[in-house]
Amino acid sequence: MKAKFIVIFLFLTELFLLTNCKTTRLVDMYDFSAIERAEFVRVCTLDTTTNVNSIKHINPDEYKYISIDPAEFLKLVGRSKTAVLKFISTKQVILYGKGGEEYRFHFSEGCGGFKIIGDRNASFVVPKKRVEEVKRMLTAE
């Protein structure tokens, strides 16, 4: 009888530990301490003749670069957690580091998720209470 309780206890303990694994946050994966500037890439014209309105498929001459505060941007998205996402990117933020590093954040239409294109190609979900602030930042002129 004791053996059954021990087995059940060990099973529940392992189940508890597996389900309580914390997901990785953006600030835990990347070191943004050397970021000196950030730009939001606004697309001036979207190609309405095709269904692909991804920022990757638009002529670079149609971009407009708008400077944003990197500290404020990182404050908004820094606590974002990793997730498996699939979307067409419609907004882009580029962070530039002092040593020539460049981080490209590709955002979904509603700014609720983003991918960082680069060595890890990680996807993140923006905290729900920050989504509206990120959306406001990425739609301001």
Side-chain angles (χ1 to χ4, degrees):
M1 190 67 163
K2 286 185 181 182
K4 287 183 180 179
F5 285 118
I6 291 173
V7 170
I8 291 172
F9 175 76
L10 291 175
F11 174 77
L12 291 175
T13 303
E14 185 175 343
L15 182 66
F16 176 78
L17 292 174
L18 287 175
T19 58
N20 283 331
C21 292
K22 292 186 177 184
T23 56
T24 308
R25 295 180 311 160
L26 176 68
V27 293
D28 298 333
M29 288 181 68
Y30 293 91
D31 178 22
F32 294 118
S33 60
I35 297 299
E36 59 182 10
R37 66 186 175 98
E39 292 178 333
F40 165 57
V41 180
R42 176 185 293 279
V43 178
C44 299
T45 59
L46 284 175
D47 182 8
T48 56
T49 60
T50 65
N51 291 333
V52 181
N53 286 337
S54 173
I55 199 162
K56 295 181 214 171
H57 295 53
I58 297 171
N59 185 350
D61 296 336
E62 298 173 346
Y63 291 159
K64 179 179 176 186
Y65 293 90
I66 302 168
S67 292
I68 59 174
D69 181 19
E72 184 180 341
F73 174 75
L74 289 171
K75 184 179 117 182
L76 292 176
V77 299
R79 299 188 62 82
S80 300
K81 295 183 180 178
T82 57
V84 177
L85 300 174
K86 186 174 182 179
F87 60 86
I88 295 176
S89 61
T90 58
K91 300 168 182 68
Q92 183 182 49
V93 173
I94 306 171
L95 299 181
Y96 299 97
K98 294 177 184 171
E101 305 92 7
E102 193 174 286
Y103 300 96
R104 293 181 179 269
F105 291 69
H106 289 260
F107 279 87
S108 64
E109 179 80 31
C111 298
F114 63 91
K115 295 179 183 183
I116 298 180
I117 308 302
D119 59 341
R120 297 181 189 156
N121 289 336
S123 300
F124 297 88
V125 174
V126 177
K128 288 182 182 179
K129 62 183 178 181
R130 301 278 191 209
V131 171
E132 288 303 317
E133 294 175 66
V134 172
K135 196 183 298 184
R136 217 176 355 259
M137 176 183 273
L138 299 185
T139 55
E141 281 292 332

